Amino acid sequence: MRSSMAMVVVLVGATLAGCGEAADPPVYADDLPPAARGFAPAVRTIDDALGPVGFVAADAGAVVWSAPRAGGMSLLARATPRAGTRELVPRFETSVVSDGAFDVGRGSRGRAVVVWTQGCDGPGRCLVQSVALTGGRPRTIARLPDGARSPVAIDGTSLVYVADAAGCNELRLLTLPGGPDSSLGRGTCGSVLQVDVDGSFVAAAVSTEPPGDEDSFPSEAWLSDVRNGGVRIAQVEDAGYSGPDQITQVMLDRGALFTTRLGDSGDQLVRIPVNGGAATRTRVAGSSPAVVARDAGTTYVIDAVKEGRRSALLQYRLDTGR
């Protein structure tokens, strides 16, 4: 099944490249060579009192994660690598990836902020909330149109969000504040799980519609260069009902797209250079990794322990020689 599907996806990806140029074919993790070097030992444990699973995001020197505090789920932050931990948003209820992740990036004023959606997956108005890493009250920075949904990602004045278009999710780019608002497009028809934006590049992790009567749900990583337009499929996996091989996260860091791919023998971090070049894969550090974030060459892993009843946030250096 994999070989026939991959052939179709290569053709689709080529037609979605911007400016009429031929796109690099999508990578498939099992075909990639391992990175020359892998994760160095853990630099430190940031938080060892997380619940069964949480979410983590990192950018601009900051790392933010969700963790149980005082009977609810709070948003915790470390604003700089040398800063201590602070409670940023008490009783922040987002606790797992599938519920809609938050994102860390530079805001329109150049300061590191956290953004998330409110009301976008229901009948209410779709709002984008933001809070600075220095603290303060969350504020609304955008009101998204009907059909918008989570997740969102921010970098400066660029806000990436997801919209429903004829039953398929597409990526959209809103320039803050107030527009313009433009479509970046999509790869194969599917549901976007998570997005990231860094400069002119936008990425998404997507669970796609099964082809025909196939008994699987292919998973894709989309990549867009907004200077050229269009979305290409950078990675494709044959995810089944139980989840192995699904691409759950995307991260743009230091000129590369990193994706987290679930696996039976350990989760993998796939590195795909955004401007072309050889892709590689590395086993995600930790005994039972659940969620991953990456910033400036440092990788943050939420590692499930105690048979999944508790988890810890660990900081690693991914030593690939790059």
Side-chain angles (χ1 to χ4, degrees), residues 13-33:
T15 63
L16 292 172
C19 299
E21 300 176 357
D24 291 335
V27 303
Y28 183 80
D30 285 344
D31 292 341
L32 298 178

Side-chain angles (χ1 to χ4, degrees), residues 12 16 22 42-43 56 60 74 118 151 184 191 198 209-210 238 262-263 277 285 304:
V12 173
L16 292 172
V43 176
V56 59
S74 295
Q118 178 180 325
L184 300 177
S191 178
D198 185 15
E209 297 290 341
D238 295 340
L262 302 179

Side-chain angles (χ1 to χ4, degrees), residues 19 28 45 62 91 119 155 162 171 179 184 263 281 283 291 299 301:
C19 299
Y28 183 80
T45 298
R91 302 190 66 80
D155 184 25
V162 180
L171 301 179
L184 300 177
R281 58 186 169 89
R283 187 182 183 279
V291 187
T299 303
V301 177

Side-chain angles (χ1 to χ4, degrees), residues 110-203:
R111 298 184 302 173
V113 298
V114 186
V115 293
W116 65 93
T117 59
Q118 178 180 325
C120 296
D121 296 311
R125 176 172 293 179
C126 185
L127 305 177
V128 179
Q129 302 290 302
S130 173
V131 65
L133 266 293
T134 53
R137 294 179 62 85
R139 64 187 184 94
T140 298
I141 61 169
R143 289 173 169 81
L144 301 181
D146 292 344
R149 53 175 294 271
S150 60
V152 293
I154 193 170
D155 184 25
T157 59
S158 296
L159 179 76
V160 174
Y161 72 95
V162 180
D164 182 77
C168 297
N169 286 174
E170 70 172 13
L171 301 179
R172 298 194 65 88
L173 180 67
L174 173 64
T175 301
L176 299 172
D181 184 342
S182 58
S183 172
L184 300 177
R186 61 176 176 84
T188 306
C189 183
S191 178
V192 175
L193 305 176
Q194 189 245 334
V195 293
D196 196 19
V197 55
D198 185 15
S200 65
F201 288 98
V202 174

Side-chain angles (χ1 to χ4, degrees), residues 261-279:
R261 175 230 186 185
L262 302 179
D264 289 322
S265 59
D267 295 353
Q268 293 179 340
L269 194 66
V270 175
R271 180 185 185 275
I272 306 171
V274 296
N275 289 315

